[in-house]
Amino acid sequence: QVQLVESGGGLVQAGGSLRLSCAASGSIFSINVMGWYRQAPGKQRELVATITRDGITNDAESVKGRFTISRDNAKNTAYLQMNSLKPEDTALYYCNADVRRIGVGRSLNYWGQGTQVTVSS
C-alpha cells in the first residue's frame, strides 16, 4: 500500500508563513504528479498547486506569488511554502499523488488525511 502523511499545519497570523510537507511511503516505484489541495468549511476542495516529477509546476491564481510547491524525489516528499498568508487561506490542506507501485503497471491516485491551516486576522 501507499500512505501520504502531511505535516506542518498550524495557526498563524495574517502575513505569516508556514511550510507543509507531504511524505509518501510504501511500495513505491515512482511518483509522477504531486499536489496540494485545500478545502475550507462549506466549500469544495480546490487545487492549490501541483508539481511533476520533472519540476513543472502549476499554481492556482489565488496563491501565485505567495505559495511555492517543491519536491524531493529521492525522499518521495513534496513541500508547500506558504508566505503572506491571508485569513481566506484557512482550510484543511490535502496532499495528492499519482503513484506507480512496485509490481503494478499503472499509476493510482492517493490522498493524505489533511493538515489544518488556520490564519487569524
Side-chain angles (χ1 to χ4, degrees):
Q1 270 292 0
V2 172
Q3 297 82 37
L4 302 181
V5 178
E6 303 101 333
S7 62
L11 173 64
V12 64
Q13 288 188 332
S17 298
L18 284 174
R19 188 186 191 218
L20 306 184
S21 298
C22 170
S25 63
S27 56
I28 298 170
F29 178 77
S30 65
I31 303 176
N32 185 12
V33 180
M34 299 187 78
W36 289 95
Y37 292 73
R38 67 186 182 186
Q39 187 167 18
K43 294 186 177 181
Q44 290 189 333
R45 190 173 299 188
E46 64 176 4
L47 168 73
V48 177
T50 61
I51 184 168
T52 69
R53 184 172 182 82
D54 295 331
I56 298 171
T57 62
N58 177 45
D59 303 327
E61 285 296 326
S62 60
V63 305
K64 282 186 177 179
R66 300 188 298 124
F67 292 8
T68 302
I69 189 171
S70 61
R71 65 189 282 175
D72 184 332
N73 291 330
K75 296 181 178 180
N76 289 330
T77 299
Y79 306 95
L80 185 68
Q81 178 66 44
M82 304 186 294
N83 299 328
S84 302
L85 282 161
K86 305 175 181 180
E88 51 263 44
D89 293 319
T90 295
L92 190 59
Y93 283 69
Y94 295 92
C95 179
N96 178 270
D98 287 328
V99 180
R100 185 175 173 188
R101 292 170 53 193
I102 296 171
V104 178
R106 61 185 178 92
S107 294
L108 298 175
N109 192 256
Y110 293 87
W111 290 93
Q113 293 297 308
T115 185
Q116 179 67 39
V117 172
T118 303
V119 185
S120 63
S121 57

